[in-house]
Amino acid sequence: NTITATIGGFTNPYGVAVSPDGTRTYITNQNGTVSVLDTDPTSPGYNTVTDTIGGFPNPYRVAVSPDGTRAYITNININGTVSVLDTDPTSLGYNTVTDTIGVGSVPVGVAVSPDGTRAYITNAGGDTVSVIDTDPTSLGYNTVTATIGVGTNPFGVAVSPDGTRAYTTNLRGASVSVIDTDPTSPAYNTVTDTIGGFNAPWGVAVSPDGTRAYITNLFGDSVSVIDTDPTSLGYNTVTDTIGGFTRPTGVAVSPDGTRAYIINRDSDTVSVLDTDPTSATYNTVTDTIGGFTRPTGVAVSPDGTRAYITNFGGTSVSVIDTDPNSLDFNTV
């Protein structure tokens, strides 16, 4: 839980996503580019920008496919689009935009299903979610196959680890929509539940075991915990609301499910939330890390040893040591 590196060369960086093998991190810049950061500790170029790709209308958030071959970037315009970036190092088109897909108005959030066949895009200006076919073997590849109405001003989106549900935060609707994303279900691509009681819900992340979702309440200075276990009596209800944050935005859960990292936009800090149900400090903030400049995005490496924070108010990305066994744990 300390900052171990601050890497420059970005322009108001916002979105951030790490490749499944942990060797590359993709950062969206507000000057219409996406930076590729080498995040392989064994590489000579470790923690340096290896490429800057242009041609994006207004890149906002980014998600990488589970096989690591494609990244999907939302371009936050009224006539919104999603850019598809080739992220396969063995491809002739590596680090180039291979397609641009029209979606709804003001696309913001993006999440890819665990099997890599669908991407879910929140259209904040249209109160909808666009579903993109992301299966390269499909006849509908890189086309919108469904548009789903959700709550007002949908912002964040996350898919459950089993791929059967997507959760969208409805910023101005003070709610979270639950979408059935199971292709075998009769309710496929419909909203099956709407959960209320939030205060400008912004970010969302689901625990690796699929039993909990963490929602940042921008104007509530809090994080809400939703029971997302279909076998639970409390399914799709808020089981806890944790205070002590400062305009929380981004949220990411560690791969082992024991910690969540919460961006505090207005205090230039990151809070570490204990998300281990067996812990004595469960659902409490165990650390607060400073040294950021209007932080916005957060992503944790697949091995759980590093977190990457975009400093939207500056030109850098900060790296936090998130390995509890490290001497630098919870330092920048």
Side-chain angles (χ1 to χ4, degrees), residues 171-243:
L171 184 65
R172 294 181 182 173
S175 64
V176 169
S177 296
V178 185
I179 301 173
D180 185 325
T181 55
D182 179 2
T184 66
S185 168
Y188 180 52
N189 280 350
T190 65
V191 173
T192 57
D193 208 342
T194 300
I195 309 164
F198 304 94
N199 192 343
W202 183 287
V204 53
V206 182
S207 63
D209 64 1
T211 62
R212 302 175 305 282
Y214 298 89
I215 313 294
T216 56
N217 295 295
L218 180 67
F219 295 150
D221 291 338
S222 63
V223 170
S224 297
V225 186
I226 300 176
D227 182 331
T228 55
D229 179 1
T231 66
S232 168
L233 292 176
Y235 181 51
N236 280 352
T237 63
V238 175
T239 57
D240 206 347
T241 299
I242 307 154

Side-chain angles (χ1 to χ4, degrees), residues 153-165:
N153 202 209
F155 224 73
V157 59
V159 182
S160 62
D162 64 1
T164 62
R165 303 175 306 282

Side-chain angles (χ1 to χ4, degrees), residues 19 37 57 59 99 104 115 139 158 198 231 234 282 295 308:
S19 64
L37 181 65
D99 210 341
D115 65 0
L139 292 176
F198 304 94
T231 66
Y282 180 52
Y308 298 89

Side-chain angles (χ1 to χ4, degrees), residues 35-281:
S35 297
V36 185
L37 181 65
D38 184 332
T39 51
D40 178 2
T42 67
S43 167
Y46 182 51
N47 279 351
T48 64
V49 175
T50 57
D51 207 345
T52 300
I53 308 156
F56 301 90
N58 194 2
Y60 198 64
R61 291 187 180 174
V62 54
V64 183
S65 62
D67 64 1
T69 63
R70 302 175 306 282
Y72 298 88
I73 294 103
T74 54
N75 297 300
I76 187 169
N77 292 328
I78 292 177
N79 298 316
T81 60
V82 170
S83 298
V84 185
L85 181 67
D86 184 330
T87 56
D88 179 1
T90 66
S91 167
L92 292 175
Y94 181 51
N95 281 353
T96 64
V97 175
T98 57
D99 210 341
T100 301
I101 307 162
V103 288
S105 177
V106 193
V108 179
V110 52
V112 182
S113 62
D115 65 0
T117 62
R118 303 175 305 281
Y120 298 89
I121 314 296
T122 55
N123 301 303
D127 299 342
T128 61
V129 168
S130 296
V131 185
I132 298 175
D133 183 332
T134 56
D135 179 1
T137 67
S138 168
L139 292 176
Y141 181 52
N142 280 353
T143 64
V144 174
T145 57
T147 301
I148 307 163
V150 289
T152 306
N153 202 209
F155 224 73
V157 59
V159 182
S160 62
D162 64 1
T164 62
R165 303 175 306 282
Y167 300 87
T168 70
T169 56
N170 304 309
L171 184 65
R172 294 181 182 173
S175 64
V176 169
S177 296
V178 185
I179 301 173
D180 185 325
T181 55
D182 179 2
T184 66
S185 168
Y188 180 52
N189 280 350
T190 65
V191 173
T192 57
D193 208 342
T194 300
I195 309 164
F198 304 94
N199 192 343
W202 183 287
V204 53
V206 182
S207 63
D209 64 1
T211 62
R212 302 175 305 282
Y214 298 89
I215 313 294
T216 56
N217 295 295
L218 180 67
F219 295 150
D221 291 338
S222 63
V223 170
S224 297
V225 186
I226 300 176
D227 182 331
T228 55
D229 179 1
T231 66
S232 168
L233 292 176
Y235 181 51
N236 280 352
T237 63
V238 175
T239 57
D240 206 347
T241 299
I242 307 154
F245 303 93
T246 310
R247 294 294 187 265
T249 53
V251 53
V253 182
S254 63
D256 64 1
T258 63
R259 302 176 306 282
Y261 296 87
I262 318 291
I263 297 290
N264 296 300
R265 187 188 66 186
D266 287 6
S267 64
D268 292 339
T269 61
V270 171
S271 295
V272 184
L273 180 67
D274 185 331
T275 55
D276 179 1
T278 67
S279 169
T281 55

